[in-house]
Amino acid sequence: MSLQFIMGPSGSGKSHSLYEWVTKESLKHPDKRYLVIVPEQFTMQTQKDLVMASPRKGIMNVEALSFHRLAQRVFEETGENRRMILSDVGKNFVIRKVAGEQEENLTVLGSYLRKMGYISEIKSIISEFTQYDIQPQQLEEMLEKAKETPGLYYKLSDIRLIYEKFRECLEEKYITGEEMLEVLAGVIGSSKLLAGSVIVLDGFTGFTPVQNKLLRELLKVCDDV
């Protein structure tokens, strides 16, 4: 395992140098797998850039993936996760169902649930909780600290209730896109796809706690990152 950084200001050619290195190394080691992980919206452009950087204008053992696409590949390989992936629309439906069932127990948010776009706002909050690995017990700690601020306290209390019931509703049946990386981190050791591979990361301005957890696991099984 080794971890390397390419440093430099914006526009200094970091990505260009990185892709040239990847394509040249891939030709030297045709049996090794090179996985270039970039944000979802950059995968197609990165694949094109890698082809253009290759001396042969073609790549066989290099692939551009997002974190989510990497998760799907590993799940297909290992068969570890058989839960259906819940879309954003699906999340909205589940939150609406949960919130409707708990409406009498919601102190503040109950009166807002029928307003246009409010369910989507709650979905965004829950998505961020998952990305940043916020657990229900951490919300309990926040509630303790917010007791002197009633407005914040009651809103947090409602959000915690919806979050808990949302997680219960999905358990064993569905998985959200944000949870995929948490599950992936737990099965990386079983993946032959990742064992001995070279992982390249580009285009990110930072990583969430869940992504950092995944990267720590990748460092254990990959030859280079």
Side-chain angles (χ1 to χ4, degrees):
M1 176 272 288
S2 70
L3 177 63
Q4 302 175 53
F5 295 92
I6 294 181
M7 313 290 283
S10 178
S12 60
K14 299 184 298 297
S15 294
H16 180 72
S17 297
L18 184 61
Y19 297 166
E20 280 195 337
W21 177 84
V22 169
T23 53
K24 287 176 182 176
E25 288 294 307
S26 70
L27 294 175
K28 291 179 188 175
H29 308 284
D31 295 331
K32 188 179 285 289
R33 190 183 301 273
Y34 294 80
L35 301 174
V36 182
I37 302 177
V38 294
E40 189 78 46
Q41 66 269 28
F42 297 147
T43 52
M44 293 298 291
Q45 183 61 48
T46 301
Q47 196 80 18
K48 179 182 176 182
D49 292 343
L50 287 165
V51 170
M52 297 306 294
S54 171
R56 297 179 182 176
K57 302 305 176 195
I59 49 177
M60 294 296 291
N61 53 333
V62 183
E63 191 172 359
L65 298 165
S66 65
F67 274 124
H68 283 186
R69 182 58 188 149
L70 176 66
Q72 289 171 341
R73 288 282 302 280
V74 173
F75 293 161
E76 287 168 8
E77 176 203 2
T78 61
E80 290 285 346
N81 187 67
R82 302 184 186 279
R83 286 180 287 174
M84 290 180 63
I85 299 169
L86 198 66
S87 67
D88 281 351
V89 174
K91 280 189 275 188
N92 280 343
F93 278 125
V94 174
I95 291 169
R96 189 174 296 280
K97 172 181 179 291
V98 165
E101 291 171 349
Q102 298 297 322
E103 189 169 359
E104 292 182 359
N105 300 319
L106 299 175
T107 310
V108 177
L109 300 186
S111 59
Y112 292 96
L113 293 175
R114 291 176 180 81
K115 286 192 175 182
M116 183 73 72
Y118 210 77
I119 292 295
S120 291
E121 289 294 326
I122 296 175
K123 181 205 71 180
S124 296
I125 293 170
I126 289 175
S127 294
E128 288 199 34
F129 283 173
T130 308
Q131 289 177 48
Y132 287 86
D133 201 20
I134 302 297
Q135 301 298 320
Q137 58 266 31
Q138 289 172 278
L139 292 179
E140 286 285 353
E141 294 169 10
M142 292 180 199
L143 281 169
E144 283 295 318
K145 294 176 182 177
K147 280 184 175 178
E148 294 180 7
T149 313
L152 175 61
Y153 176 84
Y154 288 117
K155 283 181 182 177
L156 270 177
S157 180
D158 286 355
I159 289 168
R160 182 205 58 182
L161 177 61
I162 293 172
Y163 186 40
E164 285 180 348
K165 296 301 179 183
F166 176 82
R167 285 164 62 103
E168 287 175 14
C169 196
L170 264 59
E171 200 171 19
E172 304 299 330
K173 296 178 183 177
Y174 300 98
I175 183 172
T176 64
E178 295 80 19
E179 288 176 303
M180 287 175 69
L181 302 190
E182 182 76 33
V183 177
L184 175 60
V187 302
I188 278 176
S190 307
S191 173
K192 293 179 181 178
L193 172 77
L194 295 171
S197 65
V198 175
I199 296 287
V200 173
L201 298 126
D202 188 34
F204 294 95
T205 56
F207 298 105
T208 65
V210 171
Q211 288 172 335
N212 277 322
K213 180 178 180 179
L214 175 60
L215 292 175
R216 285 195 294 271
E217 295 303 316
L218 287 171
L219 283 166
K220 296 175 185 178
V221 300
C222 299
D223 281 357
D224 291 293
V225 176

